[in-house]
Amino acid sequence: MIWRSVTREPRRLARLAGWSLAEALPSLLIGHAIARAIEDGFAAGRPVAGLAWLALLGGAWLVAAAGARQSVLAVAAIAEPFRDELLARVVGGAVRHAVTPPWRPGAESVARSTLQVELARDAFAAVITAVRSFAFTVVSVVVGMATLLPAMLPLVLPPFAAGLAVFLLSLPAMARRQRAFLVADEHLAESVAAMAGACATSSPAGQRAASPPTSDRRSRRRRRRRAASPA
């Protein structure tokens, strides 16, 4: 379902990739722009050239700001249909569960259709945002470093790869923790619903609703006695 939601509209995915590339543009140009501004500009006695390189870097930051805004909108265009499909599945499952034995809709369905669907949508959008920002930024930094100072790559890439591997190894444990939280939320909703029902039936108002008033019982007894006594 997640992969289908991402690849359902290739145009939306291409739009997200394009704006993410624009957002990562400063990461690609910052090293070159500063180096050229110093070496070919200010250090060479050509301040106009140095300012031109800095102006180019400033323009890249403006493009990145526009790209960041449009990337958020592109992520929303992918995440909202995912939320709608997930909500439809949750509601459909709750209805099917309510009309089949043991004929119990389950209070956990309320938690799934409200809080958990929103959490899933937020997590889905956060994952897309983090992955695309991470991927484009890393590629831009590596390309910039490879063209500007390739001798630094052996010193930078191994620690980075080790940190990335540790993070990927920690993902299953994080997923189990998140699942345990969602299951506990379902159990809490079910317990609260059962407690509220028990309180409603044990309250004085519930008892009055469940049993007739004392005066009504006495009146019925008197009528039964009159009907049973000889005329």
Side-chain angles (χ1 to χ4, degrees), residues 15-16 19-20 64-76:
R15 176 188 173 196
L16 177 61
W19 286 115
S20 299
R69 178 184 181 277
Q70 295 298 325
S71 295
V72 173
L73 299 178
V75 170

Side-chain angles (χ1 to χ4, degrees), residues 22 36 55 72 117 153 156 170 182 200-201 206 224:
R36 295 295 177 268
V72 173
V117 170
L153 289 178
V156 174
S170 67
L182 296 177
T201 56
R224 284 196 298 269

Side-chain angles (χ1 to χ4, degrees), residues 31-64:
H32 282 282
I34 294 178
R36 295 295 177 268
I38 294 175
E39 295 178 2
D40 300 339
F42 302 111
R46 300 166 57 193
V48 176
L51 292 175
W53 279 106
L54 295 181
L56 178 63
L57 180 59
W61 281 110
L62 293 177
V63 173

Side-chain angles (χ1 to χ4, degrees), residues 5-6 13 16 74-75 78-79 123-134:
S5 298
V6 174
L13 195 60
L16 177 61
V75 170
I78 297 175
F124 180 66
V127 168
I128 293 178
T129 301
V131 169
R132 61 98 192 167
S133 178
F134 173 80

Side-chain angles (χ1 to χ4, degrees), residues 28 35 44 50 71 164 195 201:
L28 177 64
S71 295
L164 180 61
M195 182 184 65
T201 56

Side-chain angles (χ1 to χ4, degrees), residues 116-175:
Q116 292 187 14
V117 170
E118 297 301 324
L119 287 176
R121 189 269 308 271
D122 294 342
F124 180 66
V127 168
I128 293 178
T129 301
V131 169
R132 61 98 192 167
S133 178
F134 173 80
F136 281 92
T137 301
V138 167
V139 171
S140 299
V141 170
V142 171
V143 171
M145 185 176 296
T147 56
L148 184 63
L149 195 59
M152 292 294 296
L153 289 178
L155 301 177
V156 174
L157 291 183
F160 169 76
L164 180 61
V166 171
F167 172 73
L168 293 178
L169 290 175
S170 67
L171 286 180
M174 296 169 61

